[in-house]
Amino acid sequence: MSEQEGLVELARQVAVLEERMETMNERYDKGWALLREDLAKRDTEMAKRDAELAKRDKNMSIQLYAIGFGILVVIIGIGGTIISLLV
């Protein structure tokens, strides 16, 4: 009889451990789901940020070309003035 009681106790312990394992698996699954959600949010935010940076870079390029063109016009104007004074 003692051997049978030992088997019953062992079966009970296995059942408890299986229940704990299922609980832990559920926690892990929830954790992975939250991680996937966070990564998706991060990817969306990074895509928005990249689009904003590309727009800003384009605007900065236009501004640099405008400044360069302005400097070129000033140089030509000063050169023309100097040449007209010498003639």
Side-chain angles (χ1 to χ4, degrees):
M1 201 57 131
S2 172
E3 186 176 318
Q4 185 146 2
E5 289 176 6
L7 290 175
V8 169
E9 177 62 24
L10 184 60
R12 187 190 68 76
Q13 289 176 359
V14 168
V16 169
L17 289 175
E18 286 177 348
E19 186 177 334
R20 286 182 186 170
M21 187 173 65
E22 288 298 320
T23 302
M24 291 304 292
N25 284 338
E26 288 175 8
R27 286 183 185 174
Y28 288 138
D29 291 342
K30 287 178 185 177
W32 284 113
L34 290 173
L35 180 62
R36 280 189 218 100
E37 185 180 325
D38 288 345
L39 290 174
K41 286 180 185 177
R42 186 207 59 188
D43 291 344
T44 303
E45 290 172 4
M46 291 299 286
K48 288 179 184 177
R49 182 176 166 263
D50 288 346
E52 290 172 2
L53 288 176
K55 183 178 178 182
R56 190 177 76 184
D57 288 348
K58 182 179 177 184
N59 289 340
M60 189 179 297
S61 295
I62 292 170
Q63 290 172 354
L64 289 174
Y65 285 124
I67 290 170
F69 182 73
I71 290 172
L72 183 64
V73 168
V74 168
I75 290 172
I76 291 172
I78 292 173
T81 304
I82 292 173
I83 290 174
S84 69
L85 290 175
L86 293 176
V87 176

